[in-house]
Amino acid sequence: MKRTYIFIGILFLALCLNAQPWEMDNSVFNPSGVPSFSFSQPRFMDLDSDGDFDFWLGNTNRPPLYLQNNGTATNPVFAPGPDLLSGIPYLASEIAVSADMNGDGILDLVTGGFSGLHLFLNSGTNANPVFTESGGYFSGLNVGLNPVPDVADVDNDGDLDLVVGLSEDGSVIIYFNTGSAAAGNFSENNCQLLGDIGLYAYPVFCDFDSDGKQDILCGRDAFGFVYYQNIGTATNPVWEENNTLFAGLGMSTYWNSPDLVDLNGDGLYDLVYGTAAGPLQYYVHNGTAENPSWQQNTSLFGGVLDVGGASNPVFYDFDGDGDLDLISGNQLGYVKFYRNTGTAYAPAWQEDNSYFANIHHSIYSAVTVGDVDADGLPDVILGDLNGGLYFYHNTGTGLIEQSGVLPAVSVGGWSCPRLIDMDFDGDLDLVVGNEAGNLFYYQNNGTPYSPLWELVNGFFGAIDVGSDCVPTFADVDEDDDLDMVTGNLFGEVQCFLRQRQLWVENTTLFSGIETDQNAAPALVDLDHDGDFDLVLGDYDGTFKFFRNLKYSGSVLNPPQNPIFIIDGEVTVTWEEPLIGSTSPFEHYKIYLDGVFCGSTTENIWVFSGLDTGVAYLVSITAQYVAGESLPVTLEFIITGNDDQIVQPITLTNYPNPFNPSTTISFTIPAGSKGTLEIFNVKGQKVRVWNYLPSGEHKIVFNGCNEQGLPLPSGVYFGIMKTQNRVQIRKMALVK
């Protein structure tokens, strides 16, 4: 599983696809809204000329991303803006800085990348830039591969000079502009070697001490920073290393690429730097130029989940608290654990790798979790670059590697295991993807307590996804079997529906969803609304979330028209919710005076042993996958007289039970009109007599519905309603 350059763009905007309503929402794994890219390089500028700082986010996977400040100069809020550099090859632009390189008052673009230094002139405006390369502009410079540039007027002659950090030897070189502000000229004959700080130097200009002279701060292929303070004059710079001002910063991250910018409007330069892993680090400057005091801010760019490369997510309630936690392998071969500290409906994440700290084999780990021995504790199976599998038994206090549990598996280079009950027999089977793009199915022919995995040849037919196959399983088409979604090296997502014994590719359900490299999908109902969402890991080490909009918690209709009858016991029934709820129905929940009594899928509940002379409040809700509806309520008082309610009228039937008919007798008070309705125990109205006048009535109910069709045996409720009175009578049709 090697690092491969692939020219595929990243999808940032919300999707609403024709076949399946997907919406991209990366705030689930990145509340800051700022993406995390491997080898991130932030460079700040006010591109849209609105008085606050925006920035370019350079990286090794795509052209720099434009992050627009939608807040203010003192309270920035960054979010991806238009993809302004999508037409620039990313091999030419791992990093970008903005500067007016031709003196027209509009910001141009200087980039560095695999193919060297480049200048892209802006023929548009700052707000709507149009970048076109000025070919050969830096052709006289020997800066090698992946140079890192910045520009500033270091000699106060009115034109922009250039500093370049070299990748292979770590040199920091100043190139003095011998041309003009409108037509720069840079050559090896007019340069100064500032120093050698090791491999991969990342220099930026800044007048950190506010003395009118350009200082230089450098990151590198190591921890920490190197600071060159300008102790010369504005026209004759002399740089001297002074590492006290940034001492202790960047010591826990590698390949630190810094920029200095005042993000809170206090006149002091704050420090923002990218890292090899990707997440941006932000330190607010609270001291003075001579004696800076740094305070880390983890909210502006913080919160992003990044495993450090090659994320490969699975979800499992590992801590048993009722919500799904996130477990992932990573590029270095470790297992990352993110505890869900939110809820089953709204997850939040807290990293805690301590329980998995002893797991490590080769690099590029892939993990799956399941209780393979039915002891109530989730166990772990790990795959890695070598293509083997490793079993870790959960003892309740730790994970211990055990041999002899897994079959002798060797699937070739790189193994990606997934535990799933594929044959619905109550035990966990094992599916393994490999580097060649193939899939292997090991059926558990043992028991839930003692697995015996045996290879089933040909189970996945001729499926070959190309390379680095990562499978995930769920009933995508809701036909009561398990379908499969796979990712591959090229960032593609493919769907295979299970149709009897065949796997049939579906090219529409996930059309348009991809990532840049090494797509690692996981199907999971992460917002608990009844449909499977898609989480996508990738080579960068981050996670993308695609919300499935088929179901949601926006409309959860409650039950309707609750009624009751007191006949020794209190029987409550109700009608089904209105159609139009946006999540699948599960059951009804019953409460008496606010105390939960139980749940049922029927439309009836019976209360026994209630006291007479006491007022009771019954609440009934509909429980959906996405949550609980508002309650529908009714009140009653047990008077000690069967079939009597607060405002009784006489309602009887004879015979009861009956077959095939019974006579229902009642009296409607003078000056009133009434309605007689018959309901079954599901709350469905089966017969009705409307607009009955005042006086005595005897209606024969013949056991048929409104269409004249015979009703089945069972309990029915006759409900007599007038303007201000209701009476209920329970009847039994027995055939």
Side-chain angles (χ1 to χ4, degrees):
M1 189 174 178
K2 305 179 292 295
R3 176 62 172 157
T4 305
Y5 289 101
I6 301 174
F7 300 90
I8 298 177
I10 294 179
L11 180 66
F12 287 98
L13 302 179
L15 299 176
C16 283
L17 306 180
N18 293 330
Q20 195 83 339
W22 300 103
E23 180 183 68
M24 193 173 186
D25 180 8
N26 285 340
S27 65
V28 172
F29 300 105
N30 182 7
S32 73
V34 176
S36 176
F37 295 137
S38 297
F39 299 95
S40 51
Q41 300 197 62
R43 295 298 185 267
F44 288 84
M45 74 294 175
D46 183 9
L47 186 62
D48 51 10
S49 303
D50 62 351
D52 54 38
F53 283 106
D54 316 297
F55 72 98
W56 299 113
L57 184 55
N59 62 95
T60 56
N61 292 323
R62 52 152 290 136
L65 177 68
Y66 172 50
L67 276 297
Q68 191 169 23
N69 187 350
N70 296 320
T72 67
T74 58
N75 187 25
V77 177
F78 296 106
D83 198 3
L84 300 176
L85 305 187
S86 59
I88 296 178
Y90 86 87
L91 293 182
S93 57
E94 289 189 7
I95 185 172
V97 294
S98 289
D100 181 8
M101 298 298 292
N102 58 0
D104 63 355
I106 300 173
L107 292 175
D108 306 302
L109 197 71
V110 178
T111 69
F114 183 80
S115 57
L117 284 179
H118 301 267
L119 172 64
F120 295 86
L121 294 177
N122 185 356
S123 59
T125 65
N126 285 337
N128 295 289
V130 177
F131 294 112
T132 303
E133 184 168 8
S134 177
Y137 190 86
F138 296 108
S139 59
L141 305 184
N142 300 320
V143 294
L145 307 178
N146 299 301
V148 176
D150 197 14
V151 292
D153 184 4
V154 300
D155 51 9
N156 202 28
D157 62 353
D159 55 38
L160 293 175
D161 306 297
L162 176 72
V163 62
V164 178
L166 303 189
S167 60
E168 296 304 321
D169 64 4
S171 296
V172 179
I173 303 174
I174 308 294
Y175 290 95
F176 297 97
N177 187 350
T178 59
S180 66
N185 182 55
F186 301 93
S187 72
E188 294 292 336
N189 297 324
N190 292 280
C191 66
Q192 176 183 341
L193 175 63
L194 196 62
D196 185 342
I197 62 173
L199 296 178
Y200 291 94
Y202 302 112
V204 291
F205 285 119
C206 179
D207 184 9
F208 184 75
D209 49 11
S210 301
D211 62 355
K213 297 171 291 186
Q214 292 293 328
D215 311 302
I216 299 173
L217 179 66
C218 297
R220 55 184 173 175
D221 178 13
F223 301 109
F225 300 97
V226 176
Y227 175 58
Y228 293 98
Q229 189 170 18
N230 190 344
I231 60 173
T233 66
T235 57
N236 186 26
V238 176
W239 288 279
E240 181 178 83
E241 190 171 336
N242 178 357
N243 291 322
T244 60
L245 301 183
F246 296 88
L249 297 177
M251 300 307 294
S252 62
T253 52
Y254 218 63
W255 267 291
N256 301 323
S257 183
D259 202 5
L260 292 162
V261 57
D262 181 9
L263 286 181
N264 56 7
D266 64 354
L268 297 172
Y269 286 102
D270 308 305
L271 173 64
V272 180
Y273 61 93
T275 62
L280 298 183
Q281 308 296 311
Y282 174 36
Y283 286 83
V284 178
H285 184 187
N286 292 322
T288 65
E290 296 78 18
N291 187 24
S293 175
W294 302 101
Q295 181 178 356
Q296 187 173 17
N297 180 310
T298 59
S299 60
L300 183 58
F301 304 105
V304 58
L305 269 62
D306 190 326
V307 303
S311 51
N312 195 309
V314 295
F315 291 85
Y316 195 94
D317 184 9
F318 197 86
D319 54 10
D321 63 351
D323 53 39
L324 293 170
D325 307 303
L326 167 61
I327 308 101
S328 175
N330 79 348
Q331 185 178 26
L332 296 179
Y334 296 99
V335 175
K336 299 288 188 176
F337 176 68
Y338 298 91
R339 190 184 312 279
N340 186 350
T341 58
T343 68
Y345 302 90
W349 311 102
Q350 182 177 24
E351 185 174 356
D352 180 6
N353 303 318
S354 57
Y355 206 78
F356 300 83
N358 66 314
I359 298 180
H360 184 257
H361 289 273
S362 180
I363 57 176
Y364 293 102
S365 54
V367 64
T368 188
V369 178
D371 183 6
V372 303
D373 50 11
D375 64 354
L377 297 172
D379 307 299
V380 171
I381 297 176
L382 188 79
D384 65 7
L385 186 64
N386 293 326
L389 296 179
Y390 311 90
F391 176 75
Y392 285 81
H393 174 64
N394 191 344
T395 65
T397 58
L399 294 165
I400 299 177
E401 186 176 2
Q402 288 185 357
S403 59
V405 178
L406 294 169
V409 173
S410 181
V411 298
W414 194 62
S415 50
C416 181
R418 292 295 183 259
L419 286 166
I420 186 76
D421 186 5
M422 183 69 73
D423 50 8
F424 297 97
D425 64 349
D427 54 35
L428 291 173
D429 308 300
L430 182 64
V431 177
V432 184
N434 75 351
E435 186 177 28
N438 307 126
L439 290 151
F440 300 83
Y441 174 51
Y442 297 85
Q443 188 172 31
N444 187 349
N445 294 322
T447 68
Y449 304 91
S450 179
L452 177 62
W453 287 294
E454 297 179 333
L455 179 64
V456 179
N457 289 311
F459 183 81
F460 291 102
I463 292 178
D464 184 340
V465 303
S467 184
D468 294 348
C469 178
V470 179
T472 183
F473 297 89
D475 186 6
V476 173
D477 53 5
E478 299 184 355
D479 63 349
D480 297 323
D481 58 21
L482 290 173
D483 308 300
M484 178 173 65
V485 173
T486 63
N488 66 14
L489 169 69
F490 306 101
E492 299 165 336
V493 175
Q494 296 172 264
C495 175
F496 300 89
L497 300 179
R498 186 70 163 162
Q499 297 183 2
R500 296 185 178 180
Q501 301 302 312
L502 300 176
W503 297 94
V504 179
E505 186 173 6
N506 181 293
T507 59
T508 61
L509 291 177
F510 296 85
S511 174
I513 295 181
E514 62 184 11
T515 188
D516 62 332
Q517 185 175 337
N518 287 107
L523 289 167
V524 55
D525 186 5
L526 203 53
D527 51 10
H528 207 279
D529 62 355
D531 52 31
F532 286 101
D533 309 302
L534 177 67
V535 177
L536 206 56
D538 64 14
Y539 192 88
D540 281 333
T542 57
F543 305 94
K544 298 176 177 64
F545 179 68
F546 297 87
R547 190 184 308 279
N548 190 340
L549 301 181
K550 181 176 182 179
Y551 300 131
S552 72
S554 59
V555 179
L556 304 176
N557 289 323
Q560 301 183 88
N561 303 323
I563 57 176
F564 68 93
I565 180 171
I566 302 175
D567 186 10
E569 301 172 323
V570 178
T571 301
V572 179
T573 187
W574 56 89
E575 296 179 31
E576 295 175 352
L578 292 172
I579 61 173
S581 295
T582 56
S583 181
F585 170 80
E586 290 187 321
H587 53 256
Y588 299 105
K589 299 175 77 171
I590 316 300
Y591 301 84
L592 183 65
D593 291 334
V595 178
F596 177 65
C597 299
S599 60
T600 178
T601 56
E602 301 294 332
N603 293 55
I604 187 171
W605 191 267
V606 178
F607 294 96
S608 302
L610 300 181
D611 296 329
T612 60
V614 178
Y616 291 96
L617 175 67
V618 175
S619 302
I620 309 156
T621 65
Q623 178 67 52
Y624 298 86
V625 175
E628 192 173 359
S629 75
L630 293 173
V632 62
T633 62
L634 56 81
E635 294 182 83
F636 59 83
I637 299 175
I638 302 176
T639 64
N641 184 12
D642 287 353
D643 287 351
Q644 187 175 7
I645 62 172
V646 178
Q647 292 181 304
I649 59 178
T650 302
L651 177 66
T652 62
N653 76 297
Y654 184 83
N656 190 18
F658 68 94
N659 182 26
S661 63
T662 184
T663 299
I664 304 172
S665 303
F666 55 91
T667 300
I668 297 177
S672 297
K673 291 184 178 181
T675 299
L676 175 64
E677 299 172 324
I678 308 295
F679 288 83
N680 62 20
V681 294
K682 293 184 176 181
Q684 298 167 326
K685 188 188 299 183
V686 297
R687 194 74 181 270
V688 61
W689 293 265
N690 289 313
Y691 309 113
L692 300 173
S694 61
E696 294 185 2
H697 293 269
K698 292 183 182 295
I699 292 179
V700 177
F701 173 41
N702 62 1
C704 294
N705 64 16
E706 202 69 27
Q707 289 75 38
L709 300 175
L711 293 166
S713 297
V715 175
Y716 294 86
F717 297 92
I719 304 174
M720 180 65 229
K721 298 178 181 179
T722 66
Q723 284 91 330
N724 56 4
R725 299 184 180 187
V726 177
Q727 176 65 63
I728 304 173
R729 180 72 179 179
K730 182 166 65 176
M731 303 173 287
L733 173 58
V734 180
K735 295 183 177 181

